Amino acid sequence: MCARVGSFPIRTDSRSYLIRYFFSDYKDDGTNVLLDANENAYGPSLDLAPAGSHMTNGTVTSSNLNVNFLRLNRYPDPHQIELKTALCKFRNTHTHSTKDLTPDNLFVGVGSDEAIDVLLRCFCTPGRDKILTCPPTYGMYAVSAQANDVEIVKVPLNTEQAFQLQPEAIKSTLSSDPAIKLVYICSPGNPTANLMSKSDIQQILEHPTWNGIVVLDEAYIDFSPDGSSLAEWVTEWPNLVVMQTLSKAFGMAGIRLGAAFASQQISRLLNNLKAPYNISSPTSALATAALRPENLAIMRSNRAKILEQRARLLEELPKIPRIGRFLGGTASNYLLLEILDKPRNQGGHASNESAMALYERLAETRGVVVRFRGKEVGCEGCLRITVGTSEEVDRLLAETRSILQDLGYDSKTDTSATTSREEEGKETEASDVVA
């Protein structure tokens, strides 16, 4: 036997050391109100009534839910045809195309994050190619690009036009840099909650010389007006990929199921790159069940409750002193709003110090967790707040009003225990939390 020479030297210059990737430190202890990750507080879109459930030969059945636990010794279906068929049926609205999506137009993965990553691995050469993003936007595009050694080019959203795309600036950038292979667009925007203009997206798709892919992230599309999804547009535009998930409107973040609609050629490439059995049998069964008509009715009912509470927040939050403007749009299950250093009628301005103070005190002393977004482009002094249940909104409104009254109108008192450098560090770390 060879003698052991020494311990394996872990390289401290590996890319993992260069990637800033934070999760929220605030977790649910059974009493916290979690309004930070844009989850669906009303639960999964499944009929889980215990009175109607039973187990027969290892299969759990609850009304229309059917999961066979005795076959967990077998690998799942690598092609997921039943699930893909259900997803296509749901998205074949013929709003934007007369053509039908088929399972050949689909990649399914472990959340949208797997689709983000596999697209990078498919179309970008590490150390050479680039992607284009439009900040403020979802942080995982940058995280995955850094992990794959792909450079990020940024063309910010237009902060003077409700965070819409700047198609002319994007097209100019694509013309000048052929190394850009992917353009990631989030619609509704995260954290801005606004739908991107279909005509702006079409302008980018029609670029006469750029040879790349437009990736449209529609994670929150089911909170938008009916017919907003452009998924079926992939049958018209071979350079378009549309990503979606069951984590948001369907309330099924725990099963981690995402999808990417694409041309058959792109879909084939993505499926060739994935792990053979990336979707587990329970995930597949639960996702397929969620797409049945009776469970779609539950999703739509829960969505209606969320939209009702969203309207309530839009009405009630501005009544609290030091709450400023809502920025972006209202096409999702979250809102982006400014926190002011003093009331607006006293000349208050959006303040990162005030937003950070409210963010910390809500989480640490009141058990209400939201998301600080003040370091992102055009988001000075902003918090992103997920729309919760009626009871959660009650608590958010009461605790926000109480804390802002306690803080007073001098923003310097909000951070009296920290130096400006410490405050900057806290703001940066809070803003770097992904999701």
Side-chain angles (χ1 to χ4, degrees):
M1 179 182 294
C2 295
R4 179 178 177 181
V5 176
S7 61
F8 178 71
I10 301 295
R11 289 180 53 189
T12 57
D13 63 341
S14 67
R15 283 205 303 277
S16 63
Y17 281 82
L18 305 177
I19 299 171
R20 298 180 60 83
Y21 188 7
F22 294 96
F23 299 100
S24 174
D25 289 331
Y26 301 119
K27 303 303 179 185
D28 188 11
D29 64 358
T31 63
N32 288 343
V33 174
L34 302 182
L35 304 178
D36 62 324
N38 299 339
E39 297 155 318
N40 187 328
Y42 287 96
S45 301
L46 296 170
D47 181 359
L48 299 174
S53 63
H54 60 277
M55 177 179 281
T56 305
N57 296 326
T59 298
V60 173
T61 303
S62 175
S63 299
N64 49 72
L65 178 61
N66 193 314
V67 182
N68 190 336
F69 288 107
L70 288 185
R71 290 192 60 82
L72 292 182
N73 59 313
R74 300 299 181 188
Y75 287 114
D77 175 9
H79 305 296
Q80 298 294 333
I81 299 301
E82 183 182 6
L83 172 57
K84 290 179 179 179
T85 300
L87 285 165
C88 289
K89 182 179 179 180
F90 179 58
R91 291 304 178 199
N92 277 330
T93 64
H94 298 140
T95 304
H96 306 283
S97 175
T98 59
K99 300 175 184 177
D100 280 335
L101 293 161
T102 73
D104 289 336
N105 292 113
L106 261 180
F107 165 88
V108 289
V110 183
S112 297
D113 295 341
E114 184 176 1
I116 292 169
D117 182 72
V118 75
L119 282 161
L120 279 157
R121 291 189 287 115
C122 184
F123 292 106
C124 295
T125 301
R128 188 181 72 188
D129 290 334
K130 305 174 185 178
I131 67 168
L132 186 148
T133 66
C134 301
T137 193
Y138 181 42
M140 278 304 298
Y141 312 141
V143 170
S144 291
Q146 289 172 335
N148 286 283
D149 194 18
V150 172
E151 186 177 336
I152 305 159
V153 176
K154 300 177 182 180
V155 177
L157 298 175
N158 190 336
T159 58
E160 302 300 319
Q161 296 292 328
F163 292 98
Q164 283 296 317
L165 295 169
Q166 301 192 72
E168 292 302 325
I170 292 172
K171 289 192 296 180
S172 176
T173 302
L174 296 177
S175 295
S176 64
D177 194 344
I180 298 172
K181 295 301 192 294
L182 299 169
V183 174
Y184 283 96
I185 298 171
C186 197
S187 180
N190 180 5
T192 55
N194 60 304
L195 280 171
M196 300 302 161
S197 162
K198 178 180 176 182
S199 62
D200 287 350
I201 295 168
Q202 183 168 340
Q203 286 188 56
I204 302 167
L205 290 168
E206 291 176 336
H207 193 292
T209 60
W210 177 61
N211 184 26
I213 308 296
V214 174
V215 183
L216 188 62
D217 187 347
E218 292 188 341
Y220 301 95
I221 199 66
D222 292 304
F223 296 108
S224 304
D226 289 343
S228 295
S229 174
L230 296 179
E232 59 190 5
W233 230 15
V234 304
T235 62
E236 306 287 345
W237 297 95
N239 55 336
L240 175 66
V241 174
V242 177
M243 301 188 302
Q244 297 182 351
T245 179
L246 297 191
S247 296
K248 307 303 179 181
F250 283 85
M252 301 182 72
I255 70 170
R256 305 300 296 127
L257 194 285
F261 295 88
S263 68
Q264 293 185 14
Q265 293 86 345
I266 290 178
S267 178
R268 190 176 304 116
L269 290 172
L270 301 183
N271 283 297
N272 286 342
L273 279 173
K274 76 175 183 66
Y277 308 108
N278 62 329
I279 304 300
S280 73
S281 296
T283 289
S284 179
L286 291 167
T288 302
L291 292 160
R292 293 178 185 142
E294 51 269 44
N295 287 324
L296 287 173
I298 295 174
M299 183 273 283
R300 291 177 177 124
S301 175
N302 289 342
R303 178 181 62 185
K305 296 174 188 175
I306 290 170
L307 299 188
E308 180 180 350
Q309 294 307 310
R310 185 179 73 190
R312 185 175 163 217
L313 285 172
L314 287 166
E315 180 180 356
E316 295 297 329
L317 277 169
K319 298 177 183 178
I320 300 175
R322 294 181 64 180
I323 295 295
R325 301 171 299 168
F326 291 100
L327 302 185
T330 59
S332 193
N333 69 328
Y334 51 88
L335 296 167
L336 184 69
L337 74 156
E338 296 174 324
I339 309 300
L340 310 181
D341 54 4
K342 54 187 175 183
R344 187 184 304 171
N345 61 8
Q346 297 181 24
H349 298 284
S351 163
N352 274 354
E353 291 82 1
S354 296
M356 191 68 188
L358 176 58
Y359 161 76
E360 290 185 324
R361 294 194 192 190
L362 277 172
E364 295 171 4
T365 68
R366 312 298 174 93
V368 178
V369 187
V370 296
R371 187 60 54 80
F372 176 78
R373 280 294 172 252
K375 303 297 284 187
E376 298 196 38
V377 176
C379 299
E380 174 78 18
C382 282
L383 299 180
R384 191 195 70 192
I385 299 177
T386 304
V387 179
T389 64
S390 175
E391 295 76 16
E392 290 172 337
V393 169
D394 284 343
R395 189 164 158 190
L396 169 73
L397 291 170
E399 302 294 6
T400 298
R401 182 181 295 274
S402 173
I403 290 170
L404 288 178
Q405 287 175 342
D406 290 344
L407 288 175
Y409 297 160
D410 183 358
S411 63
K412 294 180 181 178
T413 64
D414 300 349
T415 58
S416 58
T418 63
T419 66
S420 59
R421 181 174 295 180
E422 290 171 338
E423 175 65 19
E424 179 76 15
K426 287 198 305 179
E427 291 174 8
T428 298
E429 184 169 337
S431 197
D432 281 342
V433 174
V434 175

